Amino acid sequence: MNTWTKLATTVVAAALLASCNQNGDKKATTSTNDSTAVASSTSATTEKIVYVNSDTLAEKYEYYKEIRTKLEAKVKKAQTDLQSKGQAFQREVADYQQKMNTMSASERQATEERLARKQDELGRLDQNASSSLAQDEATEFGNVYTAITEYLKKHASDHGYTLVLTYSQKNPSVLYADSKLDITKQVVDGLNADYKKKNADKK
């Protein structure tokens, strides 16, 4: 489970950074020589800095939870299939070891070659399963990343946020933030509402 939590934190943090960086780029294009205006702008910018707890977002975002459950089921099935094939192979090896003394040289050679091919096949199955799972993971979490990023762009624009920071207790990049700047609940509620609406539209 720690692996999934770490992945979630990475995806959420990346989405938050992408969103706030875009907003920051837009802000940087505006300049003025008026020192009073600069001071006022700085003050306004400070007031528009907020943060999202990525641990909570990963825990409560329904779309992410669904993806995590689906990927965990795929991993479990792949592990079960490989374990079953591996146990069957071990039984064949044990059976050969019991009978080898009664077999002719040609029979032993044929059996050993067959077992070697099966062992190679198991290795390829393991590699293919790992590659397939990694591809599925990249695709699914890429979709989560997109959903979070697109929502945050709109949410930040609607509320006038200049910068959205991310906080994670497991990997803190922010050491302290006033809880009044925490918009995690708003973001989670908004993301879940969007996800619920998209699912309803598909039906």
Side-chain angles (χ1 to χ4, degrees):
M1 187 65 73
N2 290 336
T3 301
W4 298 110
T5 303
K6 187 180 296 183
L7 285 168
T9 300
T10 301
V11 170
V12 171
L16 291 169
L17 286 172
S19 177
C20 71
N21 283 344
Q22 184 175 63
N23 288 334
D25 290 343
K26 291 179 180 178
K27 194 72 178 178
T29 59
T30 302
S31 62
T32 178
N33 292 325
D34 188 338
S35 59
T36 302
V38 171
S40 176
S41 176
T42 301
S43 176
T45 300
T46 302
E47 292 174 0
K48 293 179 182 179
I49 294 176
V50 292
Y51 73 92
V52 173
N53 187 313
S54 56
D55 297 331
T56 302
L57 184 55
E59 178 186 347
K60 296 186 177 181
Y61 184 19
E62 292 299 329
Y63 181 30
Y64 168 75
K65 288 163 63 178
E66 180 180 301
I67 294 303
R68 180 183 62 191
T69 300
K70 180 165 50 170
L71 289 173
E72 286 176 340
K74 285 185 177 181
V75 169
K76 185 175 181 180
K77 183 179 184 304
Q79 289 175 337
T80 300
D81 290 345
L82 286 170
Q83 184 177 25
S84 176
K85 288 181 172 63
Q87 289 172 345
F89 174 72
Q90 290 301 324
R91 286 194 295 270
E92 287 191 58
V93 171
D95 183 62
Y96 165 66
Q97 289 173 339
Q98 288 179 351
K99 298 177 179 179
M100 61 183 297
N101 292 331
T102 63
M103 300 169 71
S104 66
S106 60
E107 287 176 330
R108 285 198 300 271
Q109 181 179 354
T111 303
E112 288 172 1
E113 288 176 352
R114 178 175 59 81
L115 290 174
R117 287 195 298 271
K118 279 201 169 185
Q119 187 173 31
D120 289 342
E121 181 183 352
L122 282 174
R124 287 194 297 273
L125 286 173
D126 189 9
Q127 290 179 347
N128 291 339
S130 297
S131 177
S132 177
L133 288 169
Q135 181 60 48
D136 287 346
E137 179 184 294
T139 299
E140 296 289 3
F141 280 119
N143 292 335
V144 173
Y145 168 91
T146 299
I148 295 173
T149 301
E150 291 303 315
Y151 175 79
L152 281 171
K153 287 177 185 176
K154 183 177 183 304
H155 187 75
S157 177
D158 290 346
H159 292 79
Y161 299 141
T162 305
L163 186 64
V164 180
L165 301 175
T166 178
Y167 171 79
S168 169
Q169 187 173 6
K170 299 177 181 61
N171 187 25
S173 56
V174 177
L175 296 180
Y176 170 78
D178 192 321
S179 61
K180 292 193 293 293
L181 304 176
D182 186 353
I183 62 166
T184 307
K185 186 177 186 307
Q186 299 172 36
V187 172
V188 170
D189 290 347
L191 282 167
N192 283 336
D194 278 1
Y195 182 56
K196 184 176 180 180
K197 182 177 183 301
K198 287 176 182 176
N199 280 344
D201 292 341
K202 292 178 183 178
K203 296 179 180 178

